[in-house]
Amino acid sequence: MPKLYFDVAHTLAGSLVLLSFVMLYQRRLGALLNVLALHAAVLALSVAWQAHIQGAPHLYITAAIALLFKAIVVPMALRRMIVRLGIHREIETVTGIGLSMLAGIGLVALSMAVMLPVTAGADPVAREDIALALSVVLIGLLLMVTRRNAVSQVVGFMSLENGIVLAATGAQGMPLVVEISVAFSILIAFIVIGIFLFRIRERFDTVDVQALDRFRGERR
Amino acid sequence: MLTALLLCALALLAVAGLAALGRGGERRGAALATAAVYGGCLAVSTLAFALALAALLGGVTSGLTLPLGLPWLGAHFRLDALSAAFLVLVSLGAAGASFYALGYGRHAEAPLRVLPFYPLFLAGMLLVPLADDAYAFLLCWELMSLASWALVLAEHRPAENARAGFLYIVMASFGTLALLLAFGLLAGPEGRYAFAAMRVGDHAPLTSALVLALALLGAGSKAGLVPLHVWLPLAHPAAPSHVSALMSGVMTKVAVYAFIRIVFDLLGAPAWWWSVPVLTLGASSAVLGVLHALTEGDLKRLLAYSTIENIGVVFIGLGLALAFRADGHLGAAALALVAALFHAFNHTLFKSALFYGAGAVLAATHGERDIERLGGLIHRMPVSSAAVLVAAMAAAALPPLNGFASEWLAFQAILVSPDLPQWALKFLIPTVGTLLALAAALAASCFLRAYGIAWLGRPRSAAAAEAAETDRFSGAAMAGFAVLCVLFGLFPGAAVDALAPVTERLVGARMPAQLGEAWLSIVPIADSRSSYNGLLVFLFVVASAVIAAAAIHRLASRALRRAPPWDCGFPRLAPSMQYTGASLSQPLRRVFGPVVFRARETVEMPPPGSVAPARIVRERRDLAWEFLYAPVGRAVGRAAELLNHLQFLTIRRYLVFVFLSLVLLLLGLGLWS
């Protein structure tokens, strides 16, 4: 039985990393949002599985929050936003997709190389989870760095946060208060960023952050 | 005793609040606040002086841990012989400066820039010798540094003061950083920040060497050791004169205390070669300091350079003590340490009096600091001139004054050095002794020049001609310190005996008891080797002077004649025809200048037929500035300019930086394990 627990947990965490890679090569914002929703849904599943293994009912609440807000509310809101901004068909790339995929692979290897020796004595489930969670965080950062559109930067930020939640739930005994407060802080960050997006749009007629640079008289 | 001293420091902090009396900027309010603050400081530091003296003479040692500071550490305070000796020095200097400032402080243009920081400065200097853990020590040290920095910037309008303040804060931060690192090394990986734990700790030779270097950098930069001295002649004169006296006379001694505490107390048994850098730096400070003083025209800056010289003498004593202690000559080590401590104390006495005198001149001449524009002050300011004369003679190390007594002790320690087994020291110490003798001789000519040009002769400017005697408080403070200079010159045995507990604690031996000697002589080692009697020298000087005067008056004519002096046939003698400071120091400048200062003199002759005057242009460079400070300053400036671009990056670039640094750190972590 423990073998099955481990395999399922590993699969779910692994598919989170896979979905992060999927995000890396999405060029259209709409598709990116779909992957984000899927990412959050897998996260919710993973958290629920952890709740089941650890026998910790409060983790079900975390899973519900993840499912409700991250898989449904935030992607829908973002979708409405890009429709209202009229950028749902836009294509944007910064670096080549192949290059960013290679960088992502490197990051996963790095997080494995760093995390596995460090957590040698820990519970194997938590160990794998933390290593994979770090990969998700790093790929989220990579997404934020390589994208130029503000909305996709928000998406990168959200996926980064998913990685943090994954790591937090993998470690046993994390209090519920911490998880809820993390979830709400993300929500508030989302609201603030959303407002800023509209303000930026209002002023510059675009959400391409390069416009901000041009406005400040910077050369790229 | 310790509690009472800590309460004194606390009271000083409260006194700083009295400066609020002067709010609103009315004249009466400011005068009231001045009197209240300096009066309070005088009372508290007199009390602290009495307590510290009682602790030193009574051999009190007590410790106290207060629940302040770092939670797992607390704030440790401790009073032992060494801290008591330095507290005597600090509180005496503080009491003198406060008394002087009761009169002098009334001349301040903006008293509220000085009043709040002055008690804080005193409190910092009182607390540093009491601190018994690294955290409390550095905290008090920084209180002292920052308060004195605020005082340096009391008159912040002149550009040179702003520059001095900037240089001072940079050097003070650098010194604190060095001390912080030294304490970190002493504390070891376990973090034993209490001095008691450091004392028993075992230090590897490499660690000890690093701590010695850092202590020299940290304490030396505050004390003004060459080549870390550059800020000192700029910052000390920029402050009001009573603060200059404190910074030069007292704060540099607190730095000496820090050095002694770290190297003699915390670092354990010394190796013989530790003395080499200390002696070298001490000797070069002594000679370079006095050479700068000799060619300096600004009165207060001259005194500040002379401080560098005296700190060099103190460090020579400390280096000798290290050498002797490492080789087990404990009696000689005690002698050298007493010489250093006694000279530190004497320097506080005469340098305070000299700075008070300079302040009195400044107040009387509305801020004239150039000695070439002074002169004839002895007729207009008789009391302060007499006090300054005594202090200048002490600074010039003339017997029977106190400066001579302590330098004589240092020479006695140098004369024991052939007993040392190491050949390096056998060669080095006589060289240091020669340089010390040179410095002493140059100091004599330096103060001869300063006093002869500024106080004697005829006034060289209108301001000097209209100078009037200083107020009673200032005069009394100067006279009091001058009397102390004489007393410690006549009875140095009392000071030597009082310092015995310090040397017993630090080098495990003491000098022979001096007060029991016949005729109040001092005998450093044994009667057969050497002894000195200040009282006899004094009596001889007085008796021979009286006899000579009487003989001249008796054998020659007693009649008083007033007649025009022989003027070489030149009809009109003007004050500008007098000997000047520059001309008095010219021979020495010619000898040492090309080597030490890369000095150059060029004569610009007017073309034939022109009526323009010929000019002689003197150029003097400070090599420490050019080869040490300027390159470092340029490097820092360039780095700051490069880093300045980071202020104006785009959001994405910042994100890239965050991302890359995270990945780099993780890579480092991965490769490490």
Side-chain angles (χ1 to χ4, degrees):
Chain A
M1 207 53 174
K3 188 84 177 75
L4 178 67
Y5 283 160
F6 176 73
D7 284 344
V8 173
H10 203 166
T11 310
L12 289 171
S15 25
L16 268 184
V17 178
L18 192 67
L19 285 171
S20 291
F21 273 103
V22 173
M23 277 188 211
L24 269 185
Y25 69 76
Q26 293 304 325
R27 291 186 173 184
R28 288 180 185 261
L29 278 180
L32 190 64
L33 289 181
N34 289 342
V35 182
L36 178 67
L38 194 59
H39 201 264
V42 174
L43 175 75
L45 261 183
S46 165
V47 173
W49 186 249
Q50 289 287 348
H52 178 59
I53 306 176
Q54 298 177 10
H58 66 263
L59 282 185
Y60 286 116
I61 302 175
T62 313
I65 292 174
L67 192 67
L68 184 68
F69 284 106
K70 293 183 181 159
I72 300 169
V73 175
V74 170
M76 276 177 62
L78 278 177
R79 185 175 300 282
R80 275 174 54 106
M81 213 180 269
I82 61 172
V83 171
R84 275 181 56 193
L85 294 171
I87 53 173
H88 55 292
R89 285 181 184 282
E90 268 182 32
I91 294 173
E92 51 120 20
T93 48
V94 175
T95 48
I97 281 177
L99 201 61
S100 52
M101 296 294 274
L102 279 180
I105 291 168
L107 290 177
V108 174
L110 176 66
S111 54
M112 292 293 162
V114 169
M115 274 302 168
L116 291 184
V118 171
T119 54
D123 173 37
V125 180
R127 213 178 144 200
E128 298 284 334
D129 262 5
I130 287 176
L132 291 172
L134 183 62
S135 332
V136 174
V137 169
L138 288 180
I139 296 176
L141 261 178
L142 182 65
L143 194 67
M144 288 178 77
V145 169
T146 51
R147 297 299 170 121
R148 198 169 293 154
N149 188 305
V151 175
S152 35
Q153 286 187 347
V154 174
V155 172
F157 181 65
M158 292 285 153
S159 76
L160 182 156
E161 199 273 335
N162 286 350
I164 293 173
V165 172
L166 179 67
T169 53
Q172 292 184 14
M174 174 76 78
L176 180 64
V177 182
V178 176
E179 285 166 26
I180 289 183
S181 56
V182 168
F184 272 96
S185 66
I186 292 303
L187 203 64
I188 288 173
F190 166 72
I191 292 168
V192 172
I193 291 171
I195 292 171
F196 266 103
L197 274 184
F198 279 103
R199 301 288 302 175
I200 293 170
R201 162 67 179 229
E202 227 170 73
R203 206 165 280 275
F204 299 109
D205 286 334
T206 175
V207 284
D208 189 334
V209 287
Q210 265 188 299
L212 296 178
D213 306 346
R214 277 197 293 275
F215 177 70
R216 299 196 324 179
E218 301 261 331
R219 56 176 182 78
R220 260 200 75 222
Chain B
M1 202 76 91
L2 174 60
T3 322
L5 278 167
L6 286 175
L7 285 177
C8 283
L10 206 62
L12 282 174
L13 297 184
V15 168
L18 288 180
L21 286 175
R23 270 174 49 214
E26 305 153 33
R27 285 192 68 84
R28 275 189 53 209
L32 182 65
T34 306
V37 168
Y38 291 130
C41 287
L42 174 64
V44 175
S45 29
T46 312
L47 180 63
F49 174 69
L51 287 168
L53 194 61
L56 180 66
L57 297 179
V60 177
T61 303
S62 59
L64 182 70
T65 307
L66 297 178
L68 304 168
L70 298 181
W72 62 91
L73 187 66
H76 298 259
F77 290 99
R78 188 157 167 276
L79 181 66
D80 62 4
L82 178 63
S83 44
F86 273 91
L87 282 174
V88 167
L89 184 157
V90 168
S91 49
L92 181 61
S98 307
F99 189 70
Y100 173 75
L102 278 175
Y104 181 74
R106 280 179 294 196
H107 303 296
E109 278 172 28
L112 289 183
R113 292 184 155 274
V114 177
L115 292 180
F117 302 112
Y118 181 79
L120 293 182
F121 182 40
L122 294 188
M125 290 196 296
L126 269 186
L127 283 172
V128 168
L130 288 174
D132 196 35
D133 66 67
Y135 184 81
F137 184 95
L138 288 175
L139 197 70
C140 304
W141 181 269
E142 275 295 88
L143 175 64
M144 177 180 88
S145 295
L146 292 180
S148 55
W149 173 70
L151 291 169
V152 166
L153 284 182
E155 289 156 28
H156 63 122
R157 301 268 181 233
E160 58 179 312
N161 284 7
R163 176 162 174 268
F166 176 69
L167 199 57
Y168 176 41
I169 192 89
V170 169
M171 289 302 287
S173 319
F174 168 77
T176 310
L177 175 70
L179 285 183
L180 179 75
L181 295 177
F183 283 130
L185 283 175
L186 281 171
E190 302 92 29
R192 299 163 305 196
Y193 288 108
F195 283 176
M198 287 182 192
R199 238 169 245 137
V200 297
D202 215 16
H203 307 293
L206 183 66
T207 318
S208 302
L210 273 176
V211 170
L212 176 71
L214 288 168
L216 273 176
L217 284 179
S221 68
K222 187 62 115 193
L225 272 188
V226 170
L228 301 170
H229 66 284
V230 169
W231 63 274
L232 194 145
L234 300 176
H236 285 189
S241 290
H242 56 298
V243 180
S244 307
L246 279 177
M247 289 180 75
S248 239
V250 180
M251 188 173 73
T252 51
K253 306 306 152 30
V254 178
V256 170
Y257 164 82
F259 183 78
I260 296 180
R261 176 64 78 191
I262 292 176
V263 174
F264 280 79
D265 190 14
L266 303 181
L267 203 48
W272 68 269
W273 59 264
W274 290 8
S275 59
V276 175
V278 181
L279 283 170
T280 317
L281 289 178
S284 45
S285 301
V287 173
L288 285 178
V290 74
L291 278 178
H292 274 288
L294 196 54
T295 50
E296 183 59 59
D298 179 320
L299 186 57
K300 284 179 84 175
R301 204 175 282 177
L302 182 151
L303 295 178
Y305 274 123
S306 147
T307 296
I308 297 173
E309 180 233 335
N310 285 288
I311 288 296
V313 174
V314 171
F315 270 81
I316 288 175
L318 295 178
L320 289 171
L322 276 175
F324 287 127
R325 184 180 163 212
D327 286 319
H329 297 279
L330 296 185
L335 167 61
L337 190 58
V338 163
L341 293 175
F342 189 31
H343 193 72
F345 180 72
N346 289 336
H347 177 243
T348 301
L349 293 181
F350 61 69
K351 192 49 63 70
S352 296
L354 285 172
F355 264 114
Y356 301 162
V361 170
L362 239 65
T365 59
H366 309 290
E368 191 57 74
R369 278 169 31 177
D370 188 355
I371 60 170
E372 314 285 13
R373 297 176 55 77
L374 295 171
L377 296 175
I378 196 165
H379 298 297
R380 290 160 189 84
M381 309 171 70
V383 176
S384 56
S385 297
V388 168
L389 177 62
V390 171
M393 282 162 64
L398 292 185
L401 293 162
N402 58 351
F404 177 78
S406 48
E407 288 201 18
W408 184 79
L409 285 176
F411 278 115
Q412 294 309 309
I414 285 174
L415 290 178
V416 191
S417 69
D419 295 351
L420 290 170
Q422 289 88 7
W423 279 100
L425 292 181
K426 275 186 208 263
F427 283 113
L428 177 66
I429 293 181
T431 316
V432 168
T434 320
L435 290 175
L436 182 59
L438 175 67
L442 291 178
S445 81
C446 162
F447 281 99
L448 171 77
R449 165 176 173 264
Y451 198 82
I453 299 299
W455 272 271
L456 304 183
R458 286 169 65 189
R460 291 173 173 80
S461 66
E466 285 158 14
E469 181 58 277
T470 180
D471 56 275
R472 273 174 301 166
F473 286 110
S474 309
M478 269 181 263
F481 273 68
V483 167
L484 283 177
C485 284
V486 175
L487 282 182
F488 278 98
L490 298 186
F491 310 108
V496 171
D497 279 359
L499 290 172
V502 183
T503 57
E504 271 173 7
R505 166 91 182 62
L506 293 179
V507 297
R510 54 163 295 167
M511 284 175 64
Q514 307 291 341
L515 285 182
E517 295 289 337
W519 292 95
L520 293 170
S521 297
I522 50 171
V523 180
I525 299 158
D527 265 330
S528 57
R529 289 193 77 134
S530 55
S531 63
Y532 163 70
N533 191 319
L535 195 58
L536 280 185
V537 172
F538 179 66
L539 290 179
F540 173 74
V541 168
V542 170
S544 54
V546 168
I547 290 171
I552 289 169
H553 281 298
R554 177 72 56 195
L555 301 178
S557 163
R558 288 179 67 88
L560 183 69
R561 284 187 299 153
R562 286 193 182 278
W566 167 240
D567 52 7
C568 302
F570 201 83
R572 281 188 309 256
L573 283 181
S576 62
M577 293 172 180
Q578 297 174 94
Y579 225 28
T580 63
S583 54
L584 196 56
S585 64
Q586 193 218 26
L588 286 164
R589 207 174 53 235
R590 286 251 169 106
V591 173
F592 294 103
V595 183
V596 182
F597 310 120
R598 300 278 160 81
R600 267 197 314 211
E601 284 184 9
T602 43
V603 179
E604 292 171 6
M605 294 300 286
S610 162
V611 291
R615 291 187 170 278
I616 179 161
V617 181
R618 279 187 293 137
E619 207 180 300
R620 194 180 76 172
R621 291 153 58 187
D622 190 340
L623 296 184
W625 178 265
E626 283 182 27
F627 290 110
L628 189 69
Y629 290 78
V632 171
R634 275 198 301 272
V636 170
R638 209 170 301 145
E641 209 148 287
L642 283 177
L643 289 176
N644 196 24
H645 290 297
L646 288 182
Q647 299 266 344
F648 306 103
L649 291 185
T650 62
I651 300 168
R652 239 188 72 228
R653 291 249 170 97
Y654 284 125
L655 273 176
V656 169
F657 274 128
V658 170
F659 179 68
L660 284 183
S661 49
L662 180 64
V663 168
L664 266 182
L665 287 176
L666 284 175
L667 262 179
L669 193 66
L671 292 177
W672 188 268
S673 54

